[in-house]
Amino acid sequence: MLHQVRGAAERDRPAAARGSFGASLAAIVVSLLVLGLVGAGFVVLEPRTTNADTTADGNGSYSVATKGPGRYGSGTLGSWQNLIRRITPEDQIRDVLTFDGIFMFGDSIAVQDSSALERMLANRTGDSIAFHDWSGQPTSAAVDALEQWSRDYGLPRRIVMAVGTNDIFDPPAFAAQVERALRIAGPDRTVYWVNVYASRTKQPAAVRQADLANSAWINQQLDEAAARHPNLKIIRWSEFLTSQQDRPASYLRDGVHTSEPLGGSARNELITQAIEAPGLSS
C-alpha cells in the first residue's frame, strides 16, 4: 500500500512541477505586460521636441507682395495666405500644453527663426514650444489662430506674440488686436510681445521712412497696452537694433528679416531672456 502511494506521488510530481512552472511563467508575462503599459505611459507623457521643419508649407516665399504707397506710405498688404508657414502638429501641441510649455504666434521672421528658438529654449529653460507662424500674416490673423487654439486645446501660462511687422501697412488696426489677444489670454497668463522694426532696404527712401514711422507707431501702441496690462511684457527688438554700433545692418538681411546666424540668434536670445525672467517688467 505504501509503495502504491509513493508511486502515485512520484507520478504526480512532474505534473505539479509543470503547473508551478506554468504559474511562474504566467506571472512573468503579466509583469512584463504591466511594465510595458507603464513604459508606454511614460512615452506618451514625455514632452517631445517639435520638429517645425517637418510642417513647413506654402510656396516657399517669406516676403509678402505689396503695392502702391497705401494710406500710410508703406504700401498695401498683398495676399499672404499661400506663403510659407510653420505650424506644429496637433499631437505635439497637446504635448506642449500638457507640460506647460509655450505657444508662439508669428510671421515670416518667426517662420525663419523658430527652429533655432526651439533648440535654444530646450537647452536654456527646458521648455517645449508650439508654433503657429505664417509669413505675411497681420496681427489680426495671428490672434484668430490664438483664439482657435484656445478653443481647441486651451492655453499655457506663457504666450509669445511675434507679429506686428505686417501691420505697418495699416497701423491703426493694431491696437484693437493687441487688446483682443490679451482678452483671449486672460490676466493670469503672461503674453510676451516682440516689438517691430521695418525699413525695407529695396524700397525707395520715402517708403523706408514710412516703414520706420509706422513701426514706431505700432510699438507705441504696444507700450500703451503694456501700461494697462501688467501681464504684457514687451521684447524690445527695435531698441536692440537701433542701439547697435552699426545699427540694424548686421542683424537684418533686407531691413526686416533677420540675418543668419547673427540676427536670428540675437532675436531668439531676447525672447529666451524674457522667458527666463518672467517677472521682468516691460
Side-chain angles (χ1 to χ4, degrees):
M1 183 68 179
L2 180 59
H3 177 73
Q4 292 177 341
V5 170
R6 287 178 177 173
E10 291 295 331
R11 288 193 302 272
D12 290 342
R13 188 174 298 166
R18 288 194 299 270
S20 176
F21 175 77
S24 299
L25 182 62
I28 291 171
V29 170
V30 170
S31 298
L32 290 173
L33 287 173
V34 170
L35 288 173
L37 290 172
V38 171
F42 283 128
V43 170
V44 170
L45 292 177
E46 182 181 357
R48 283 183 286 178
T49 300
T50 60
N51 186 356
D53 287 330
T54 64
T55 60
D57 198 2
N59 65 15
S61 176
Y62 290 100
S63 298
V64 64
T66 61
K67 58 183 179 180
R71 186 174 179 182
Y72 302 99
S74 288
T76 302
L77 183 66
S79 175
W80 53 269
Q81 288 81 359
N82 291 323
L83 297 181
I84 190 169
R85 54 195 177 269
R86 184 167 286 147
I87 300 174
T88 301
E90 180 177 343
D91 62 334
Q92 296 181 11
I93 295 170
R94 295 188 185 279
D95 280 354
V96 170
L97 189 62
T98 297
F99 290 92
D100 195 28
I102 298 162
F103 283 2
M104 180 175 181
F105 301 84
D107 51 29
S108 56
I109 307 172
V111 170
Q112 176 184 291
D113 295 345
S114 59
S115 291
L117 175 62
E118 180 178 29
R119 292 191 295 271
M120 184 178 287
L121 285 172
N123 291 333
R124 294 265 292 276
T125 71
D127 287 309
S128 57
I129 185 167
F131 301 101
H132 190 292
D133 300 333
W134 200 313
S135 299
Q137 72 172 344
T139 300
S140 58
V143 178
D144 287 345
L146 170 67
E147 187 171 37
Q148 184 68 47
W149 281 24
S150 178
R151 287 196 302 265
D152 291 349
Y153 313 115
L155 296 174
R157 291 183 302 111
R158 296 162 297 173
I159 299 164
V160 175
M161 301 296 292
V163 287
T165 302
N166 294 307
D167 292 76
I168 63 173
F169 309 106
D170 187 16
F174 180 71
Q177 297 304 322
V178 175
E179 291 296 326
R180 184 173 155 232
L182 290 165
R183 187 165 58 250
I184 294 167
D188 297 328
R189 293 184 178 90
T190 302
V191 177
Y192 303 91
W193 206 301
V194 185
N195 72 6
V196 306
Y197 179 97
S199 181
R200 291 166 290 167
T201 54
K202 293 183 180 180
Q203 296 296 325
V207 175
R208 294 200 302 270
Q209 288 301 314
D211 286 356
L212 288 171
N214 293 331
S215 296
W217 190 352
I218 288 167
N219 293 340
Q220 180 183 352
Q221 293 174 74
L222 269 178
D223 288 341
E224 291 170 353
R228 296 188 298 270
H229 301 277
N231 63 319
L232 175 59
K233 309 299 180 184
I234 311 301
I235 298 172
R236 298 193 178 278
W237 175 233
S238 177
E239 288 83 349
F240 170 84
L241 290 172
T242 56
S243 69
Q244 302 308 303
Q245 186 175 0
D246 55 354
R247 298 296 176 168
S250 297
Y251 296 89
L252 302 177
R253 56 184 170 83
D254 57 3
V256 176
H257 299 94
T258 54
S259 62
E260 295 297 333
L262 184 63
S265 296
R267 194 169 190 264
N268 286 341
E269 177 69 26
L270 290 178
I271 295 171
T272 301
Q273 285 179 359
I275 291 169
E276 285 177 324
L280 187 68
S281 65
S282 65

